[in-house]
Amino acid sequence: MEHIATDRGRDHSEAEVIVIGGGAAGCSAAIYLARQRRRVVLLEGRAARPPQLSDLHSGEVLSPGSQLELRRLGFDPARPITADPLERWKLQEWDTVWQRWPDGRETADHLPGGVFFWQINRGHFYKELRKLACAGGVEVREGVRVVNLLRDKEGVCRGVVARDAEGAIFEIFAPVTVDASGRNSVVLARLGLRRPEADFRRAAYMFFFSELPGAPEAGVWRQYWFGGGTTLRGSLLAPRLYRFSFETSLTERDRWLAKFGRLPAPELFLAVLDEQAPDLARSFREATRLPHLLAFAPVGFRVASVTHDGLVMTGDAAGYLDPSTGQGLEFALRSGRLAARSIGEAFSRNRFDRAAFDRYLREREAEVQPIVRQLRLFLRASRSEKLLNVAGRLPPVRRAVLGQLIKTRPAILD
Ligand SMILES: Cc1cc2nc3c(=O)[nH]c(=O)nc-3n(C[C@H](O)[C@H](O)[C@H](O)COP(=O)(O)OP(=O)(O)OC[C@H]3O[C@@H](n4cnc5c(N)ncnc54)[C@H](O)[C@@H]3O)c2cc1C
């Protein structure tokens, strides 16, 4: 970890809080802190650039809980929406879950009236969030990447070392730094905080297609269940744009690699489908796949400690479990809000040691633990073909699972 140096440029902004990362967690924390009249500088590593397919990232799903968090944040769901999917933040919404179970049974369930999941272009969604942050008084600097923390001899975080778009390195100081830089956080790496999570050692691949025989229609989320906890889910994101996510355990993936050889991800995907669902394999072989591809492994991880002297970690930088429930963004938005509340209290007491952020720790824990329990159960159940087939046959079981996904957890809404 770098100590404060004198031979680098120094940024003289009078920041009270530095936020690393202008994603869901970072914007949420920054906006709530600015509402408390704190001087916030948000550093986003990505520079503004023309839209591209990778902006879609994983074409993520915004759960009803995320939509609620966005409304609290003042994000207008009717923000401008253009025709080009690369130029818009909201792609489509769905309210029907179509599933094919391991025994071949097919079911379709509808969400209660008026409840929808949204799918987004994450690049644009984040741009809109950063605009909202700017309008709320946050100083947003795009194209500025944090490369290290600044810590004094006692290990207290005093600010960050950053690199701007021209490559100039400089230091910024503030009493509190919020790390919201996601799963590849520089802070996680530098402080060695990442820990494995046994149940969540999964691999995920995201494929995008422009043509797909038998493709899902608008408004429908498709999910195919295979043996060994493997699942394929996807939907139409925009005209001639489909996204499918293929997820499995690392054990299962290693078994395939041993069986089929070290094939590139798209070929491995087709080889597994040939074995598990030949009809689907035929459709995907005839499909036109777009070059953009995302791969994550292991998907889930835990973070040893999310509060430190002068430093608070939020969103994925504070740990991530599994995309099964589509609640990553919801949790990022909410943990940003909880962090801001606790940091506000630290300012009112003028104390920024680790214990000053205990409220955040408690509230985050109350939020995370039920989700961890629910996900563990869900993942274990999804490894059993028998249990999956029972769910396929029993509408109340399916309704109960969907009910969990659309729950908005009123206890934490105050
Ligand atoms: C396969 C997969 C599928 C998923 N699907 C869903 C889904 O459908 N729905 C859902 O809600 N969630 C989903 N998630 C989870 C979701 O993507 C994350 O939980 C969410 O993006 C976390 O938000 P965040 O703000 O913490 O981090 P991020 O979204 O990663 O944002 C971090 C920001 O920090 C910036 N940054 C990074 N490093 C630096 C640096 N050094 N300096 C400055 N800036 C930096 C990045 O450019 C980025 O803008 C999925 C995850 C995976 C792996």
Side-chain angles (χ1 to χ4, degrees):
M1 188 54 45
E2 290 204 23
H3 292 301
I4 297 163
T6 47
D7 56 347
R8 279 190 290 251
R10 176 168 178 172
D11 181 284
H12 291 282
S13 60
E14 300 277 303
E16 290 178 301
V17 184
I18 298 166
V19 176
I20 314 173
C27 289
S28 166
I31 291 169
Y32 282 109
L33 282 161
R35 277 189 200 159
Q36 299 170 30
R37 306 205 173 281
R38 294 290 151 210
R39 289 187 302 274
V40 186
V41 174
L42 182 150
L43 307 175
E44 166 53 45
R46 279 172 188 266
R49 52 168 170 61
Q52 45 198 258
L53 194 56
S54 62
D55 286 340
L56 291 170
H57 287 259
S58 52
E60 279 139 315
V61 176
L62 280 186
S63 63
S66 317
Q67 297 164 28
L68 189 64
E69 285 295 331
L70 285 176
R71 281 195 293 276
R72 291 178 64 111
L73 209 53
F75 186 95
D76 178 4
R79 287 173 94 79
I81 296 184
T82 62
D84 182 350
L86 292 182
E87 297 274 9
R88 56 197 271 188
W89 70 270
K90 185 174 171 187
L91 298 171
Q92 74 130 352
E93 49 187 33
W94 49 263
D95 64 353
T96 301
V97 181
W98 181 97
Q99 299 183 83
R100 186 158 96 186
W101 304 89
D103 62 4
R105 176 184 294 265
E106 294 176 0
T107 59
D109 297 288
H110 302 285
L111 301 179
V115 177
F116 289 91
F117 280 79
W118 299 345
Q119 281 188 275
I120 55 162
N121 167 338
R122 191 179 354 153
H124 259 273
F125 174 61
Y126 279 2
K127 269 187 210 157
E128 292 295 330
L129 275 179
R130 291 197 286 269
K131 271 193 217 161
L132 190 65
C134 278
V138 176
E139 185 185 333
V140 175
R141 300 194 200 168
E142 294 185 340
V144 177
R145 180 155 287 276
V146 169
V147 291
N148 213 337
L149 286 183
L150 282 170
R151 298 207 301 166
D152 65 16
K153 290 200 173 62
E154 281 72 47
V156 179
C157 178
R158 300 290 182 194
V160 301
V161 183
R163 188 191 304 116
D164 69 16
E166 281 74 48
I169 301 273
F170 60 97
E171 297 174 346
I172 311 186
F173 292 82
V176 181
T177 297
V178 175
D179 180 23
S181 59
R183 58 190 297 118
N184 298 318
S185 149
V186 66
V187 176
L188 278 184
R190 300 275 182 184
L191 298 182
L193 296 171
R194 193 186 270 260
R195 300 284 181 275
E197 262 287 357
D199 276 344
F200 301 100
R201 289 182 55 74
R202 291 174 62 76
Y205 304 93
M206 299 275 176
F207 302 106
F208 296 83
F209 302 90
S210 59
E211 304 285 347
L212 177 66
E217 52 278 38
V220 176
W221 176 254
R222 278 218 197 153
Q223 173 134 4
Y224 299 87
W225 296 100
F226 307 113
T230 303
T231 168
L232 173 68
R233 7 188 210 177
S235 60
L236 169 80
L237 291 182
R240 305 193 69 240
L241 182 60
Y242 302 93
R243 176 197 83 152
F244 273 82
S245 138
F246 190 51
E247 290 156 37
T248 193
S249 67
L250 288 191
T251 322
E252 194 66 358
R253 189 200 57 177
D254 292 347
R255 190 179 68 78
W256 298 337
L257 289 173
K259 182 167 179 183
F260 301 117
R262 301 200 74 81
L263 297 174
E267 286 171 41
L268 185 68
F269 167 63
L270 291 174
V272 175
L273 281 189
D274 276 335
E275 185 187 80
Q276 309 238 357
D279 62 322
L280 271 183
R282 274 193 297 280
S283 297
F284 280 98
R285 280 191 192 285
E286 286 170 26
T288 309
R289 192 175 64 77
L290 297 166
H292 182 50
L293 160 70
L294 294 163
F296 305 85
V299 171
F301 65 93
R302 196 162 54 79
V303 169
S305 172
V306 301
T307 52
H308 306 260
D309 294 339
L311 172 69
V312 175
M313 331 259 303
T314 62
D316 278 11
Y320 183 68
L321 296 176
D322 187 87
S324 307
T325 54
Q327 284 164 342
L329 287 165
E330 174 179 345
F331 187 53
L333 291 164
R334 190 175 299 131
S335 70
R337 172 161 65 80
L338 299 180
R341 182 151 69 184
S342 186
I343 293 168
E345 288 180 0
F347 271 99
S348 59
R349 291 195 300 267
N350 201 27
R351 260 190 59 196
F352 308 106
D353 57 315
R354 184 180 176 187
F357 309 119
D358 272 356
R359 178 173 184 178
Y360 170 61
L361 219 51
R362 279 198 312 279
E363 292 186 332
R364 190 180 173 279
E365 205 53 19
E367 167 87 340
V368 171
Q369 285 316 322
I371 298 180
V372 173
R373 278 196 294 274
Q374 179 188 323
L375 273 174
R376 262 190 227 288
L377 265 175
F378 186 72
L379 280 180
R380 283 180 190 163
S382 70
R383 274 184 226 127
S384 154
E385 286 190 35
K386 248 192 197 156
L387 281 179
L388 286 172
N389 289 333
V390 169
R393 265 178 258 125
L394 296 177
V397 175
R398 299 201 302 274
R399 275 201 296 274
V401 173
L402 284 179
Q404 286 300 313
L405 302 188
I406 62 177
K407 202 161 86 177
T408 45
R409 280 186 287 277
I412 339 188
L413 294 181
D414 62 311

